């Protein structure tokens, strides 16, 4: 996994070597809980939002309460746990917020 907070974006060669990826963006409380704002994760064909989140939480189990309250968007469209996540997709984790 590569975070933009830890290093620069991977090169195209690094991306190809790692296989297909999904870009996950965490906002506000999700970013604070996970410790990163953007992360590229490997995506196998047929992956779902639920599987993606399970993988993320395996690395950051303390973030589970925050992530459970987040809305998840896949390529800008709200998605539930059984929604498919294709390679190259952008997944946003948006915690609830006030005043919007």
């Amino acid at each position: 996994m590569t975070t933009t907070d830890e290093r620069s974006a991977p090169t195209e060669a690094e991306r190809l070597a790692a296989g297909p990826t999904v870009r996950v963006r965490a906002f506000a409380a999700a970013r604070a809980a996970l410790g990163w704002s953007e992360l590229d994760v490997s995506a196998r064909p047929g992956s779902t939002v639920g599987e993606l989140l399970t993988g993320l939480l395996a690395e950051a189990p303390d973030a589970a309460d925050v992530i459970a309250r987040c809305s998840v968007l896949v390529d800008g469209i709200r998605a539930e746990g059984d929604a498919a996540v294709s390679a190259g997709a952008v997944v946003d984790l948006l915690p609830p917020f006030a005043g919007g």
Side-chain angles (χ1 to χ4, degrees), residues 14-67:
E14 290 172 327
R15 281 182 190 268
L16 291 173
T21 61
V22 172
R23 165 79 38 117
V24 181
R25 302 186 305 183
F27 295 89
R31 177 179 55 225
L34 292 166
W36 45 263
S37 59
E38 290 188 2
L39 180 70
D40 289 335
V41 297
S42 295
R44 65 171 180 73
S47 292
T48 66
V49 167
E51 292 168 337
L52 179 70
L53 295 179
T54 297
L56 293 175
L57 292 174
E59 300 290 323
D62 293 341
D65 289 341
V66 172
I67 300 307

